[in-house]
Amino acid sequence: MNTPDTSRPTPETLTPARTVYVYALAFFLMLFLDASRSSTFMEQLGVDFPPAAIAGQAIRTVATVSGLSALSRTETALVDRFTFERTLGAVPAPPSSSETASKPTGTVSSASLSATKPTTNSTASKHVPDFATLPTFGSDPRSDAQQPSESTNKSVAPDLTPHLKEQGVERSSPSEPKPSVSSEPAAKPRVLLIGDSMMMEGFGPVLQRTLRKRTDMEVIREGRYSTGLSRMDYFDWPTCLQELMVKYNPDIVVICMGANDPQDIIDTNKKRHHADSESWQKIYQTRAERLLEIATARGSNVIWMGLPIMSKEPYATRVKRLTRLQKAACDQNERAQFVDSSAVLADNKGAYTTFVTDAQGKHVRLRYKDMVHVTEDGGRLLTTSLVPYIEKALRGGRDTIDSADADATPTTLDTTPDTISTASTGAVKHSEPSEGGLTSDFGTIPLAPLVQLVPTQTAVPSLPQQTVASLAENDTVTAVQERQPRRLRVTSTLRGKEVPYLAYIPVSRPTGTSAVRNERFPVLYLLHGAYEDYDVWDKRAGTLLLELADRYRIIIVAPSCEAFGWYVDSPLVPSSRIESFILTELMPHVEKNLPVLPLRGAAGMSMGGHGAFALGLRHPGTFASLSSMSGVMDITRHPDQWKIKTVLGPLPANRALWNGYSAQYLLAVITPAEAPAMLVTAGANDKWIIQENRDFRDALRKQGFTYQYRESPGGHDWNYWMSELPQHVAFHAARLR
Amino acid sequence: MNFVTLEFAVFLLFVLALGWLLKDRPLFYTWFLLLCNLVFYASAGLFFVPLLLTVAVLNWGTARLLVCSPVLPFKRVDLRKLLIAVDIVLHVLLLGFFKYYEFIVLGMESLANTLGLTPGALSLALPMTDILFPVGLSFYTFQGLSYAIDQYRTPDTAPQSLKKVLLFVSFFPTVMAGPIMRANRFLPQLERPCCDSRAVHEGFALILSGLFKKVVVASYLSEHIVRDVFQSPEFYSSWTVLAAVYGYSIQIFCDFSGYSDMAIGVGRLMGYKLPENFRSPYLALNLQDFWRRWHITLSLWLRDYLYIPLGGSRKGNRTLNLIITMGLGGLWHGSHARFLVWGLLHGLGLAAVHGFQILKIRFLPVSDPSSDSADSAETPLQTLVRRLLHGLGIGCSWLLTFHFVSFLWVFFRAEDMERSLEILRRVFWFGQPGEGFMLMVIPAILVGLLIQIGGRRLFVAFVDTQERLSWPVQAVVLALLGGMILKMGPDGVMPFIYFQF
């Protein structure tokens, strides 16, 4: 240190040199204190400049080793502690207004929430802040099927509060489309608006304001500045949306994003995809599809508002391109409707314009000076073009889920496919006006109501055999009358008891011809997890399963197979012969008593995932399709867990037996030619089984099987399974024909 | 480059480190500083750097010509007047073109409409263009003008070199949003930056305080109440709207004074003392007092270069002068009628305060303090009553001033008159139904008010403590507090990286 003075300054004095030192030291300390963010940032930079990645790694390491990250966590905890969320100052409208309807529901829901609390074993889960990590196979064997449902409820409870800031008036936020929570007759349909700065400025506020003035819906707006789908490292929309879906359970989701997306994507392998490259487009569309899957997984409808026309190049071209990708993604999802708004703010020639001239000849500014964002006037135009779509979606309702739950009042569906075009402003373009519908081998089948809701959409490729179907005969389609699964029993000599099972049967169409009345369906065997029984499906996903059965014209059978049966023929427990039971007793019973086709699929979650694959791979030809959600793909990795050894005996002594039931080992005894169609999905945060699922995928790939594997944010819990279930049923429906 | 970004933190690290290395070579140092300024300004948009240079060159040239004008064969005084007038007009045109063009054209169109004319010809004559607004233009034109006008007023001072004028106009801590400096205060510091240890301590503390105000208080209030309520007031209950009105008062104070704190703090780290911009404005007991505490550098600028030339309180109509000054001051904030309304209302308020003071002097002559002490017959009860009344008077004037200012902010913030009136309706016809607000808003507002009461003391105490610690410990304390503040900021979105096109 070269201090100019002859006398050395005391350590407290800040000389210019020390100013630099103090600043630099404080700067780097803060960088380490915020290591999680800064190292991610550096690693991003590292894609182009490798030393940055090393620096990012170094920051992370130093922060962990030095204990700074622990300090940082303490700081975070301290800050969280002083953040409380309560609303006050809400004044309900006079009783004559319809708005008061929401008030009592709030008290009901909070009462029901507090009522569930004492009944649960209030152990560690109380302190778990996020709901993604609650295992189904808890360490407590006493816990029955009830346990996961309630712990999920409880952990969602803290999430109920934040939205009050939006709503002001208390009201419930059902976490699942379960009858017990979501069947408030007075609840208005809820519209969730999400997006980037477009949703925050100009368009979003005007849209929210316009919709809030109406009494027939509730509106929630959750925009995030500077976000999109290109920079998942910066903000992860899919995860955020998943949380929002749980928090608000909206009926309609309106998405408007992409203004920040014309930039390079850096994928998980730290590879850069240039914004104009082919691979970029592929990734972008996949991400958009993923977002739509999440948005529609709970039966909500999605309206994706495309971006308006842009001015500057190459930005404008890129926006146009990603708008096309967004539309393509929407076309893949039958619950999504894309609204092309590029013409709304354009001039007469279809080019970008900042100003338009109003009726009086005055200039009106539509765009901000950045030539990207819209002003309130521009937002008004966009809103006008969008509202008809929302109205249309509202009239359709949320598929059949809610109408069935609320009150079995038959909903007459609006089936005139072209009302949107006439209602909307002429500037709005549509996707090709081909009518949606599908036929299968069993004759012409109308799509589930939802598709009439988005009539201008092209048919969905993921469904079996689409052709243009006549919509005329849907005029009198009414809501599904029968809203319960059939509960059947099969007398099992193998297990020495009457075994119950559930059958979700598609509703017969009221105006059916005789061919349709004798309609037969493929059957999907849905296998439950450990610590659970068959009725968990009904409790957690009953309405969803009914609806899926309707939509995909498939019978879903959920048998009771012991909480720790593991879908094996146990040499130790005489009554635990689940494998033979399913193959020789259940399946004949189903095929005798239900209108089924000889097309079988098997699906399951957790232990059930193992079951589906064990049965399917041990008996090739029995099932045409297999799928597993968070499945235990290799039981030999869990010698002392989840009571597997009670049915198969200790692992070392019974290695061959264990291997014979392990999906991982079974891959060696089956050839790709004789293997059924396979879908394996797992939650990325599922610490129980994620590794073996990845290994299973690697084995599949190595041995040349055809398969689908998907990993997405989520844990070993019903939030994840609820979001996955529709896609699994769709997978089987597409293969079983 | 926003101050609350990682980019700026890195930029400042380089500026400080290299500045320290070059410190002993003044020539290099000034060139280096100039380069930093230009880099900083260019980061907001390369396109506008020429504009910054234009402002500097105009004022430097004017000042030069003002000094050498005797050689010209005209009568000296008139030429000087002409020169400065040209300079001012050019600046006004510059501002008018970049900032007010659209406002003027749209205003003329509306006017033509109300007069029943077709604005077609007008819009042909004045085509609408997309003019991007150069960041900080309002600030650095004022800064530059003040230099030329000062040169005009004090002809005997030596004019500065172009490099120095450019350095002054483009000084990076102040170029975006003030404080508006004066050349005669800043330029002498360029010769020898002060090496006062305490000043640097204060600089660090100022940056922290600015961060806290901006990242924690202002952004919380904006996110959780202000933006939503001002966007659509009709959905919120009277309580919420009232809270939003107070919330915005606090938000704009914390936002702007936070920014100023950071600018001043950065200046201190580099060894320069920048003028104070806020002095607990919401403690003001009357409107005049408020303007002496709020955005001080702008108020002083308006006083010195607009109000006094108009005639001030001596010549002409003082009330009119005030209203004109405040109206133009309002319009300076942005090219929208609402800023004009806001400024004019403040002008009216100031005029009313002046009028009240005149009346007060006439009807309530200040009692002679000596007679007060002589009158020892005052019983303790009387003393108590007098003090109570005094306290009550202070309380009332504070309440009145704070509310006047707060409610005028409504016009400043609400995007159109319809919404301003809706907000006022909801507050004055209390008990309107609607949605509530987050409880946390109240502590946030209180913190914003308490900053003004106890902030100064806390600040001094903090600096005193820091002065007793050795420098590595100081850095640790700063980092811990800084990290904490950033954590308290809006979650989910990183306060650092901020990408935009």
Side-chain angles (χ1 to χ4, degrees), chain B residues 293-449:
Chain B
R293 295 157 172 268
W294 177 275
H295 203 172
I296 300 167
T297 53
L298 177 70
S299 308
L300 289 181
W301 199 98
L302 290 174
R303 187 197 69 186
D304 289 348
Y305 302 109
L306 189 59
Y307 181 64
I308 290 177
L310 275 174
S313 52
R314 298 210 170 79
K315 274 187 281 172
N317 188 334
R318 178 181 174 171
T319 312
L320 195 64
N321 288 346
L322 263 178
I323 293 176
I324 292 174
T325 307
M326 293 311 290
L328 288 178
L331 208 52
W332 175 86
H333 286 86
S335 63
H336 199 287
R338 62 181 201 255
F339 297 112
L340 186 64
V341 170
W342 172 80
L344 290 176
L345 287 173
H346 261 291
L348 278 175
L350 278 175
V353 170
H354 276 286
F356 179 76
Q357 278 167 345
I358 293 166
L359 287 180
K360 194 173 147 192
I361 292 165
R362 189 171 298 166
F363 292 107
L364 280 172
V366 181
S367 54
D368 190 1
S370 60
S371 70
D372 206 37
S373 55
D375 188 15
S376 54
E378 191 181 55
T379 61
L381 187 68
Q382 275 171 324
T383 321
L384 188 71
V385 168
R386 189 168 52 82
R387 282 195 186 152
L388 268 180
L389 280 176
H390 184 67
L392 199 68
I394 287 182
C396 283
S397 38
W398 176 78
L399 269 181
L400 193 67
T401 311
F402 180 65
H403 282 86
F404 183 80
V405 171
S406 294
F407 283 107
L408 287 198
W409 284 130
V410 172
F411 296 99
F412 190 88
R413 172 66 171 80
E415 263 157 58
D416 48 38
M417 202 42 91
E418 179 202 339
R419 267 173 266 191
S420 310
L421 295 179
E422 175 67 23
I423 289 171
L424 295 183
R425 189 183 76 84
R426 293 209 155 234
V427 173
F428 288 112
W429 280 263
F430 212 80
Q432 304 285 331
E435 299 181 359
F437 60 99
M438 305 278 290
L439 180 60
M440 276 294 271
V441 165
I442 293 178
I445 292 176
L446 286 180
V447 165
L449 278 177

Side-chain angles (χ1 to χ4, degrees), chain A residues 254-266:
Chain A
V254 178
I255 304 175
C256 179
M257 63 173 74
N260 300 311
D261 284 338
Q263 55 177 314
D264 297 355
I265 288 178
I266 290 163

Side-chain angles (χ1 to χ4, degrees), chain B residues 177-250:
Chain B
I180 303 166
M181 300 186 295
R182 298 290 173 87
N184 53 9
R185 295 274 173 76
F186 177 73
L187 288 177
Q189 296 186 48
L190 270 182
E191 304 292 333
R192 39 174 196 298
C194 77
C195 304
D196 180 8
S197 175
R198 172 121 189 145
V200 180
H201 286 293
E202 286 180 355
F204 280 120
L206 276 170
I207 292 176
L208 273 193
S209 108
L211 265 184
F212 177 76
K213 286 181 192 170
K214 170 102 181 113
V215 174
V216 181
V217 183
S219 60
Y220 184 87
L221 287 172
S222 167
E223 289 281 310
H224 288 93
I225 184 162
V226 173
R227 200 178 47 218
D228 289 344
V229 172
F230 276 83
Q231 260 166 8
S232 34
E234 62 269 34
F235 301 115
Y236 295 90
S237 72
S238 291
W239 286 107
T240 313
V241 174
L242 187 64
V245 170
Y246 291 144
Y248 185 65
S249 293
I250 299 301

